Amino acid sequence: SAEVERFRSFLRIPSISFDGPKGSYAKAVAFLSDLLKDHCELKVVECVPKKPILIATLKGTQPSLKSIILNSHYDVVPCVMDKWNCDPFAAILTKDGQIIARGTQDMKCVCMQYVEALLRLLKNKQRFLRTVHLLFMPDEEIGGVDGMGKFVQTAEFKSLNGGVGLDEGLANEKNAMTVFYGERAVWWVKIRAKGPTGHGSRFIQGTAMQKLITAINHLLSFREEQRTKLHEGCRHAHALKLGDVATVNLTVLQGGVKGDNGQYAMNVIPTDAMAGFDIRLPPTLPLDEFEDMLKKWTAEEGVTYEFVYKTPSHNVSSIDRKKSPFWATFQDTMEGQLKVKLECEIFPAGTDGRYMRQAGMPVYGFSPMANTPIMLHDHNEALKASTYLEGIKVYEKLIPALANLPKELHD
Ligand SMILES: [Zn+2]
């Protein structure tokens, strides 16, 4: 079909985050602009040069109402070429109907499903009460700092007057779709220890290494507690998901004294040692509570911690029908109209959605891929053409439902 062909053309633009600014980002934005230019008001914002953000706006009949933001990112992660069975940017369509390409799941599918759904709705002369903004972001795969991270701080973002946002989710292997209403907080922490030096042949007490190991062991035993909780939970009715527990991983370990020859001096006790941790904290764990634990674990004299990155607060979007009319509309459309079973979860990693939530907007992370193995960032990333087409139909229902939600108290 024409839709599948357009999707494949978009997949052929190799918009890998790291080299996107050299030209493929511009190509992706030009491709999308071309499809939308006759139907929407287009604007390109560059918070950082060569990292364009495309905003496509369809004005509502009551533009003062809070708008609907359909967010996606057009960048993709790199590929380990020799692990792929085909060119990841050829977007081949196999005999059994699979499209194989980088970005099929994460998340060029959603970029194009928004576009196709909107074009179909406009073809049928549909107009909406609320303004709809399609956002296409660069750099999500490298943290979004120069993309959504900077964009939410602009007057441009505020002027969008967003009432609710949709963003990416993950495929669901069962006959259901997953909605992510929050994310775990990301904390990257460095722990440093200082202690006396001395000759490696003696019993020096309270060394930097000893202190660091004590602190590390506290974090690792907390890690083990959480891991056990996740696996024990699996045997109960309310199985826990990765997004429900904390993960703690020791990712950096540094110490030792180097001589002039660049070699480690094996007989010198170092005065400094450092460990780095990647920590992800679920909304059920209050952040100040965890920081109190961290303080206790690093309380020994000569031990300190610092943040390399710290999500300042948990931001969870309401899935209480009474509190969020947008959520109620989303749920009614999916479960009532489309008969799709929804599974609500906390996203285990980070997406651009967190920046919008931090800016105070409810965001639901959702990629309509039922009965599909999760292949984001994987070799031979693929999506069935039929699943892709089904997803367009989902947005054909969701967009008008959300955009025609009448005036609410918060408008
Ligand atoms: Zn993504």
Side-chain angles (χ1 to χ4, degrees):
S1 69
E3 288 90 343
V4 169
E5 288 317 303
R6 277 194 288 270
F7 180 35
R8 292 173 68 198
S9 302
F10 188 46
L11 289 165
R12 290 187 186 114
I13 302 169
S15 46
I16 300 168
S17 319
F18 284 106
D19 53 30
K22 288 180 207 146
S24 59
Y25 274 7
K27 270 190 197 142
V29 166
F31 182 91
L32 294 164
S33 302
D34 210 45
L35 292 172
L36 291 162
K37 64 174 192 277
D38 295 334
H39 313 277
C40 300
E41 212 176 284
L42 296 183
K43 188 161 194 178
V44 175
V45 175
E46 289 190 354
C47 294
V48 170
K50 308 232 181 258
K51 297 188 173 187
I53 294 164
L54 175 64
I55 308 168
T57 300
L58 184 71
K59 225 183 195 134
T61 53
Q62 291 182 30
S64 63
L65 297 182
K66 294 241 181 218
S67 70
I68 309 302
I69 292 186
L70 304 175
N71 184 58
S72 59
H73 65 83
Y74 60 76
D75 65 316
V76 295
V77 291
C79 312
V80 184
M81 290 297 187
D82 58 353
K83 301 275 188 191
W84 282 68
N85 301 330
C86 56
D87 177 353
F89 296 104
I92 62 162
L93 178 61
T94 64
K95 278 200 188 100
D96 56 348
Q98 296 270 356
I99 305 166
I100 305 175
R102 174 58 83 222
T104 43
Q105 291 198 11
D106 183 15
M107 65 175 292
K108 284 180 166 170
C109 52
V110 177
C111 296
M112 288 299 289
Q113 284 163 335
Y114 289 159
V115 173
E116 298 287 357
L118 198 71
L119 294 183
R120 276 189 206 171
L121 290 164
L122 292 175
K123 217 176 183 178
N124 297 329
K125 305 266 180 275
Q126 288 221 33
R127 284 294 177 277
F128 316 118
L129 288 182
R130 292 170 189 269
T131 296
V132 176
H133 300 287
L134 270 57
L135 304 186
F136 302 95
M137 289 286 153
D139 269 22
E140 192 277 341
E141 297 293 2
I142 49 173
V145 176
D146 290 347
M148 187 61 96
K150 288 208 162 69
F151 182 61
V152 293
Q153 294 165 24
T154 61
E156 197 73 50
F157 175 77
K158 281 191 193 78
S159 74
L160 299 181
N161 189 30
V164 68
L166 296 188
D167 189 40
E168 69 189 306
L170 295 175
N172 191 310
E173 302 190 355
K174 291 171 284 174
N175 190 22
M177 292 182 190
T178 318
V179 185
F180 297 94
Y181 59 100
E183 295 184 356
R184 295 190 297 174
V186 181
W187 281 15
W188 290 338
V189 178
K190 272 186 188 171
I191 298 176
R192 295 182 189 280
K194 286 188 185 300
T197 185
H199 196 272
S201 63
R202 299 173 55 226
F203 282 113
I204 309 289
Q205 287 301 98
T207 65
M209 288 293 192
Q210 281 176 330
K211 289 176 187 169
L212 188 67
I213 287 169
T214 306
I216 288 173
N217 284 337
H218 281 302
L219 274 110
L220 292 185
S221 62
F222 175 75
R223 178 188 197 273
E224 191 52 26
E225 266 170 42
Q226 295 291 308
R227 203 180 65 86
T228 310
K229 210 168 133 186
L230 175 64
H231 291 284
E232 276 184 351
C234 290
R235 292 197 291 269
H236 293 91
H238 293 284
L240 291 181
K241 296 274 171 62
L242 188 57
D244 300 323
V245 297
T247 49
V248 173
N249 281 293
L250 177 60
T251 52
V252 183
L253 201 48
Q254 216 175 59
V257 175
K258 277 186 181 171
D260 292 339
N261 60 359
Q263 301 292 311
Y264 283 110
M266 300 298 287
N267 59 353
V268 178
I269 290 167
T271 55
D272 293 274
M274 188 273 281
F277 283 93
D278 180 318
I279 303 170
R280 312 283 169 132
L281 303 164
T284 44
L285 178 60
L287 297 181
D288 47 357
E289 205 173 284
F290 183 77
E291 191 160 2
D292 285 345
M293 289 195 269
L294 190 59
K295 277 185 188 138
K296 235 182 273 165
W297 297 333
T298 55
E300 198 175 349
E301 180 273 321
V303 182
T304 54
Y305 69 89
E306 66 191 75
F307 290 102
V308 177
Y309 182 84
K310 185 188 191 190
T311 305
S313 58
H314 279 309
N315 290 287
V316 174
S317 304
S318 176
I319 48 169
D320 180 339
R321 295 178 58 87
K322 286 188 206 93
K323 285 188 187 142
S324 172
F326 284 120
W327 169 252
T329 304
F330 184 92
Q331 202 179 29
D332 290 343
T333 308
M334 294 303 297
E335 296 186 334
Q337 273 196 59
L338 293 163
K339 310 287 176 219
V340 172
K341 187 177 178 293
L342 291 180
E343 293 181 350
C344 299
E345 288 182 28
I346 294 296
F347 203 80
T351 72
D352 273 349
R354 74 181 180 282
Y355 293 114
M356 292 190 282
R357 287 195 194 99
Q358 277 163 24
M361 204 171 77
V363 172
Y364 302 101
F366 168 74
S367 300
M369 294 181 278
N371 302 303
T372 304
I374 296 176
M375 289 192 74
L376 82 165
H377 300 196
D378 207 346
H379 316 307
N380 302 308
E381 183 179 346
L383 182 63
K384 267 195 181 155
S386 57
T387 308
Y388 171 72
L389 293 171
E390 280 304 308
I392 298 173
K393 289 187 197 156
V394 168
Y395 289 112
E396 263 186 276
K397 293 279 184 248
L398 270 179
I399 295 171
L402 292 169
N404 286 326
L405 185 72
K407 189 174 163 64
E408 286 291 334
L409 283 177
H410 58 264
D411 276 309

